[in-house]
Structure formats: structure tokens, C-alpha cells
């Protein structure tokens, strides 16, 4: 290596070392930060975190060679404080509102169901004040938080009793652990589903302590498969609604009615994991049919579990309904306390259930039902204005077209059912669909990429002004 190159490298190293040693300590920066108007109103501990980050960024810049200019101590302090102030201004909560234009109504990654106004008001009330969560106002004694929702759930489903936990996976684990720990649960191989995040039913069952006994094949299971598998260690017959897939072609499955008959003949209860949780006949609102919880209870299922934040349109929750004896066993399980819902969830769920019982216009008041039931013509009526806004925000060079598309329910509900919808297709001769998607994401508008185009599905867009945002198009 030439001597001058080594000398230059040594000089740079020495300069970096000197600059690193000159970086002022946190206490000096904090003292200076107290005089900065952008930082003065925040707690010392918060400002300290932001100053530490700014100091670390300055050191990283020096070490990488991005900042080798000589600085005196005052200049460095000012740089750190200014960087901390900018970071505070830009600091946002991790959970932020976004526009769901993906065409997936119940999008798991975007929070699933949007709550009704009455549910939002109930959550706000519960958040702002003490509530009778586990307090009996008549007797002054400790109460049961399930009573907040149990009577409404039973009225809507026809079940003898009910309890609620934090999601449907928890409901399945709790029910199986309570009713079948250490014993066999018989289930069709064709119903051994995997849901989002590689979350598999066999793994859930294993955690419950129940012993899985698969019967039949992937595409065909017959009543005799269940009957022949029942033995002295059998605790339950389990039926699982195929929430996120369908097996088509040469298939057969055992109906819930047939499964209940098999169970009754052998003294074995039947449990069904229904998943999506439809409480009403959705076809009345132009939505494809989904099994109704009340019908499954009427068919003889001893236990049915379902989600609160899918077709029900409420908060994340797992609802367990069925015969009182079985529900009582579930409630006595110590795991119930670990999996129970908090006051905010129960407030939202109670308000949602009351809508089902009391509303004369449920489709208007429940966002999930309203959005799923929108016709293509209704969606199309907002498309011209949406196109006008998006085209204006994008400027020259971008093509924005109105196209017919298919939306999905989402979250494992009705996986093969498509809902006719209308969308905006955005293209650019020099930018890829993914690049356009990134640009919209930076403005918190989430669409989808399909056929080398960026798509903004308008099914969930009732007010096109949500697209009135600043887009970084260059």
C-alpha cells in the first residue's frame, strides 16, 4: 500500500477518534434541551431517550465517515438537540389509522372488523370511568364479567350458556382443555386446517392437552370413520368449519347432524369450531351464506366456538356457547382467567350484540354488514370522484382507470366467495406496481398489486375524500 494512502487512512482514523471523543455527554445535551421549545413540554425521561438516539446517530455518522468536519462542543450539542427536536416532531404512535383499499373487508393485518359507533362509545365510556366489570350492583358483592354479554349471546344463539375469551383460538384451546384433557378428540383429516401465521389446528389441540385422533382422508370422510374410531378414551367429536379453504371435486364430509347422531348413540358430545361467527342469515343482505351459530346449536352441538371480530362485526374475542354443564366446566378452568377479555373488549362486544337484538336497520349501523352488503353499482357511484381525486394527487404521467374487480370477505371467512366490486387501477410507464404501492403506503393508503397494476378497491371506501392526501410522486 502506498505510504500516502496509509497516511490518509491514519489521518481519517485519528480524525474520527477525535470527533467521537468530542461528542458531548448526555447530561450536557439534556441541559441544553431544556431551552428548546420543541422539547420543553415533554418528560425528562422521554427527552433523554430522544437525545440518546440523536447522540448515537451522530456517533454513527462520524464512524462511517459521513461527518468528519471539525466541530466545537457547542456545535455538537446544538446538532444533537436539534436532531432530538426533529425526532420528537416526527414521533408517532406505532398504531396508526390507514385506508383499507385492499378489497379484503375483514383484513387480519389491518385489524379486521371496524366497530359500530355504539361500540366505540361503549369503549370510550369504559376507558374513561370505573365500571361494574365484576361487581353486582344489586348485592354489592363480586360479580361475573361473563354476565355483561352472556344473556345477549344466549338470546342470539339459542344456547343454554356462554363465555368469552380473547380470540377464537383461545376458545378452542380452553374448550378442549376443559372437556378433553388427556383424552381423545376425533376429527376429520380434511378439517385439520392451518390459519394465518402458520397457526395449525393440530398444534392448538396439542397445547390443549387433548389427544388428536384423525379419521378419514383429506377429501373424503364418512360417518363410519367416526363411529369406528370411538373408544373408551374418546372425549369429544370435533367438527371444524374450513374457514380459509374449500376441498372440491371428489369429496364427502360428515354433516353436523350426522355427527350429533353418532355422538348421541355412544354418549359422546360434539364440539364445532365455527370460526367466522355469523349470527344471522347473511343472504338477506346480499352476502353469500355462512353457517349460523343458532342453527348449529339447534342441530345438537354441545359446544360451538366462533370469533367476535369476523362476520359478527365486533371486537377481537372468542365466544363459546353451548350446554350449561359444558360451559360451567369451561368457566371453572384456571386457564379461563388467563384468557379472559378486558373491560374494553366486553364493552364493545356487548354494544355490538345489543345492535343485533335492538336495531331496526342493522345493515346501516354495523359497518361490517354494511360494507359486505354493498352492491357493485353502489360502489361504482363513488368511483368517478375517487378517480378524480387520485388522478389530481398523482399528476401527469399516471393512468387512473375505473375497473371491475372482485373483493373478498377475509380473515378466513368465505374463502372461495367473491364479491363484485369496483376499483381504481393505477399504472405508470416507468414505475412498477410495487413502486406505486410503496408510494401510497407512505401516505397510509393500502391497496394491492395484481396483474402488474396497483389496485385501489373501493368496496371499503364510502367517502372518496380519504384519498385526498399528499403523495410523493417523484
Amino acid at each position: 500500500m502506498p505510504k500516502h494512502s496509509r497516511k490518509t487512512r491514519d489521518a481519517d482514523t485519528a480524525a474520527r477518534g477525535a470527533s467521537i471523543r468530542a461528542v458531548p455527554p448526555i447530561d450536557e445535551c439534556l441541559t441544553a434541551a431544556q431551552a428548546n421549545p420543541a422539547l420543553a413540554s415533554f418528560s425528562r425521561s422521554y427527552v433523554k431517550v430522544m437525545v440518546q438516539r440523536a447522540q448515537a446517530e451522530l456517533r454513527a455518522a462520524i464512524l462511517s465517515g459521513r461527518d468528519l468536519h471539525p466541530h466545537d462542543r457547542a456545535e455538537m450539542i446544538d446538532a444533537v438537540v436539534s436532531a432530538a427536536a426533529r425526532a420528537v416532531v416526527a414521533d408517532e404512535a406505532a398504531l396508526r389509522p390507514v385506508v383499507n383499499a385492499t378489497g379484503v373487508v375483514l383484513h387480519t393485518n389491518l385489524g379486521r372488523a371496524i366497530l359500530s359507533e355504539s361500540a366505540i362509545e361503549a369503549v370510550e365510556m369504559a376507558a374513561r370511568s370505573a365500571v361494574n366489570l365484576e361487581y353486582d350492583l344489586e348485592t354489592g358483592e363480586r360479580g361475573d364479567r361473563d354476565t355483561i354479554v352472556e344473556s345477549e349471546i344466549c338470546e342470539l344463539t339459542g344456547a343454554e350458556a356462554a363465555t368469552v375469551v380473547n380470540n377464537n383460538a383461545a376458545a378452542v384451546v380452553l374448550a378442549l382443555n376443559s372437556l378433553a384433557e388427556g383424552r381423545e378428540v376425533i376429527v376429520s383429516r380434511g378439517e385439520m386446517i392451518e390459519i394465518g401465521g402458520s397457526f395449525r389446528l393440530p398444534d392448538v389441540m396439542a397445547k390443549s392437552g387433548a389427544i388428536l385422533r384423525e379419521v378419514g382422508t383429506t377429501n373424503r370422510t364418512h360417518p363410519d370413520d367416526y363411529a369406528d374410531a370411538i373408544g373408551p378414551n374418546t372425549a369429544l367429536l370435533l367438527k371444524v368449519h374450513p374457514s380459509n379453504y374449500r376441498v372440491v371435486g371428489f369429496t364427502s364430509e360428515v354433516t353436523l347432524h350426522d355427527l350429533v347422531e353418532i355422538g348421541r348413540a355412544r354418549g359422546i358430545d360434539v364440539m364445532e369450531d365455527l370460526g367466522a361467527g355469523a349470527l344471522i342469515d347473511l343472504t338477506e343482505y346480499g352476502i353469500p351464506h355462512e353457517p349460523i351459530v343458532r342453527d348449529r346449536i339447534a342441530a345438537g352441538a354441545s359446544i360451538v366456538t366462533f370469533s367476535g371480530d369476523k362476520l359478527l362485526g365486533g371486537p377481537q374475542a372468542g365466544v363459546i356457547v353451548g350446554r350449561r354443564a359444558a360451559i360451567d366446566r369451561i368457566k371453572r378452568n384456571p386457564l379461563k382467567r388467563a384468557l379472559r377479555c378486558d373491560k374494553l373488549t366486553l364493552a364493545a362486544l356487548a354494544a355490538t350484540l345489543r345492535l343485533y337484538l335492538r336495531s331496526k336497520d342493522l345493515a346501516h349501523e354495523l359497518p361490517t354488514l354494511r360494507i359486505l352488503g354493498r352492491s357493485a353499482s353502489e360502489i361504482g357511484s363513488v368511483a368517478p370522484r375517487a378517480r378524480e381525486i387520485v388522478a389530481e394527487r398523482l399528476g401527469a404521467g399516471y393512468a387512473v382507470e375505473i375497473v371491475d374487480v372482485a373483493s373478498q370477505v377475509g380473515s378466513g371467512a368465505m374463502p372461495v366467495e367473491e364479491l363484485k366490486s369496483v376499483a381504481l387501477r393505477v399504472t405508470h410507464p416507468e414505475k412498477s406496481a410495487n413502486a406505486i404501492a410503496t408510494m401510497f403506503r407512505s401516505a397510509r393508503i393500502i391497496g394491492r398489486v395484481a396483474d402488474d397494476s396497483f389496485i385501489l378497491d373501493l368496496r371499503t371506501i364510502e367517502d372518496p375524500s380519504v384519498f385526498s392526501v399528499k403523495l410523493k410522486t417523484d
Side-chain angles (χ1 to χ4, degrees):
M1 179 181 294
K3 289 184 179 180
H4 71 276
S5 297
R6 186 167 54 249
K7 288 181 179 180
T8 300
R9 186 187 64 185
D10 291 344
D12 287 345
T13 301
R16 289 192 186 100
S19 295
I20 287 292
R21 289 190 295 274
V23 173
I26 291 294
D27 287 344
E28 284 189 46
C29 294
L30 279 175
T31 300
Q34 292 175 354
N36 188 294
L39 301 174
S41 62
F42 296 97
S43 70
R44 179 180 174 84
S45 60
Y46 175 69
V47 173
K48 183 177 181 180
V49 169
M50 305 309 278
V51 167
Q52 286 173 329
R53 291 178 182 175
Q55 188 191 58
E57 289 172 2
L58 177 59
R59 284 198 178 98
I62 294 171
L63 288 172
S64 66
R66 288 181 282 122
D67 191 340
L68 290 177
H69 299 292
H71 295 285
D72 62 29
R73 201 174 197 81
E75 287 178 329
M76 282 194 169
I77 290 175
D78 183 64
V80 169
V81 172
S82 297
R86 290 193 299 271
V88 166
V89 172
D91 191 27
E92 294 182 292
L95 197 63
R96 308 170 196 173
V98 301
V99 174
N100 176 13
T102 64
V104 179
V105 178
L106 299 171
H107 200 303
T108 297
N109 298 346
L110 301 182
R112 292 189 179 171
I114 295 173
L115 296 180
S116 66
E117 287 302 315
S118 59
I120 293 169
E121 291 171 3
V123 170
E124 184 178 6
M125 177 279 296
R128 288 185 181 278
S129 63
V131 293
N132 58 321
L133 179 64
E134 290 185 355
Y135 185 85
D136 190 319
L137 290 172
E138 293 185 3
T139 66
E141 298 177 352
R142 181 167 184 161
D144 179 358
R145 66 180 63 196
D146 278 338
T147 60
I148 296 169
V149 294
E150 187 170 16
S151 62
E152 286 85 358
I153 294 172
C154 292
E155 181 67 28
L156 289 164
T157 64
E160 293 178 0
T163 189
V164 181
V165 289
N166 56 26
N167 64 18
N168 189 51
V172 173
V173 169
L174 180 61
L176 290 175
N177 180 261
S178 303
L179 306 175
E181 185 178 18
R183 301 183 64 195
E184 288 186 348
V185 175
I186 301 174
V187 61
S188 168
R189 183 169 285 109
E191 296 175 1
M192 299 305 293
I193 63 170
E194 176 181 310
I195 57 179
S198 300
F199 199 68
R200 296 179 173 180
L201 182 63
D203 298 335
V204 174
M205 294 181 68
K207 287 297 182 182
S208 75
I211 301 169
L212 171 66
R213 179 76 182 274
E214 295 182 44
V215 297
T217 63
T218 301
N219 61 319
R220 292 178 69 82
T221 303
H222 306 283
D224 286 347
D225 293 324
Y226 286 94
D228 293 343
I230 292 175
N233 199 36
T234 301
L236 285 173
L237 304 181
L238 176 64
K239 186 166 183 61
V240 182
H241 183 54
S243 299
N244 55 2
Y245 77 101
R246 290 288 186 273
V247 177
V248 297
F250 187 60
T251 66
S252 67
E253 67 170 315
V254 180
T255 66
L256 178 61
H257 178 270
D258 289 341
L259 202 57
V260 168
E261 289 300 312
I262 295 169
R264 284 174 178 166
R266 306 291 286 273
I268 306 294
D269 284 340
V270 174
M271 171 179 160
E272 181 169 29
D273 172 12
L274 199 52
L279 294 180
I280 57 175
D281 183 0
L282 298 175
T283 60
E284 295 181 8
Y285 300 90
I287 305 169
H289 175 74
E290 183 77 1
I292 302 169
V293 178
R294 176 179 289 276
D295 294 343
R296 314 311 275 182
I297 292 294
S302 297
I303 289 291
V304 177
T305 70
F306 55 95
S307 295
D309 57 345
K310 292 185 180 180
L311 294 177
L312 195 152
Q316 177 181 297
V319 185
I320 311 173
V321 300
R323 294 180 183 169
R324 185 169 301 281
I327 296 295
D328 286 346
R329 287 178 62 184
I330 292 169
K331 287 185 176 182
R332 290 194 299 268
N333 190 326
L335 280 176
K336 172 63 165 62
R337 184 176 181 85
L339 301 174
R340 67 185 181 179
C341 297
D342 74 331
K343 65 175 183 177
L344 303 183
T345 299
L346 289 171
L349 181 59
T352 305
L353 295 170
R354 284 169 66 82
L355 275 183
Y356 276 91
L357 289 170
R358 303 173 66 176
S359 177
K360 287 186 176 181
D361 190 0
L362 186 60
H364 175 72
E365 296 191 67
L366 195 64
T368 295
L369 194 57
R370 183 175 70 247
I371 292 169
L372 287 174
R374 295 180 78 197
S375 65
S377 60
E378 179 187 349
I379 298 169
S381 67
V382 305
R385 179 56 181 154
R387 181 195 175 281
E388 180 183 350
I389 293 172
V390 171
E392 189 273 332
R393 291 300 185 275
L394 287 170
Y398 291 87
V400 183
E401 307 168 82
I402 298 173
V403 296
D404 294 329
V405 295
S407 301
Q408 293 181 321
V409 176
S411 294
M414 305 179 190
V416 299
E417 301 290 351
E418 294 185 338
L419 307 174
K420 292 182 180 180
S421 186
V422 178
L424 302 181
R425 180 168 59 199
V426 182
T427 56
H428 189 280
E430 297 178 359
K431 292 186 178 181
S432 69
N434 286 325
I436 297 172
T438 299
M439 179 178 64
F440 274 86
R441 278 200 310 276
S442 67
R444 300 182 191 171
I445 296 175
I446 316 299
R448 70 176 186 267
V449 173
D451 300 325
D452 295 323
S453 301
F454 178 64
I455 303 295
L456 294 168
D457 194 311
L458 301 178
R459 171 163 291 280
T460 54
I461 308 301
E462 298 178 279
D463 180 3
S465 67
V466 297
F467 294 131
S468 298
V469 296
K470 184 176 182 181
L471 296 172
K472 298 178 181 179
T473 57
D474 50 16

